[in-house]
Amino acid sequence: MPCSPFPSCGTRATAPGRSTPPLGSIGIPHTLAEIGVDDARVDRLAALATEDPNVASNPVPLDDAAHRTLLLASLEGRLP
């Protein structure tokens, strides 16, 4: 199935057999750094994420260390 209206659809792999257009091509920042987050805030953001009541519904248990790993990867726009 074509993924128009995105002309660059299929250029970024997100999961085996799936792809999406680069986020920037549709106006979404690709990294946390692009929205003003820096590594000095990662520990506090990780703690807040762990304390969030919605984390209980996540199928994968995440603690501060796991959230920190995700946030650091997100600062650079890479998948952990």
Side-chain angles (χ1 to χ4, degrees):
M1 177 159 127
C3 48
S4 290
F6 307 113
S8 58
C9 184
T11 60
R12 180 184 302 264
T14 56
R18 295 190 61 201
S19 61
T20 62
L23 297 174
S25 72
I26 56 175
I28 299 173
H30 183 67
T31 68
L32 288 178
E34 291 176 67
I35 61 169
V37 177
D38 61 35
D39 58 355
R41 298 171 64 185
V42 167
D43 289 333
R44 178 66 180 137
L45 290 171
L48 288 171
T50 301
E51 295 167 10
D52 188 304
N54 294 306
V55 78
S57 65
N58 194 336
V60 177
L62 298 172
D63 57 11
D64 283 0
H67 282 120
R68 188 174 195 286
T69 297
L70 289 170
L71 288 163
L72 288 172
S74 298
L75 279 171
E76 301 172 3
R78 59 183 171 80
L79 299 173

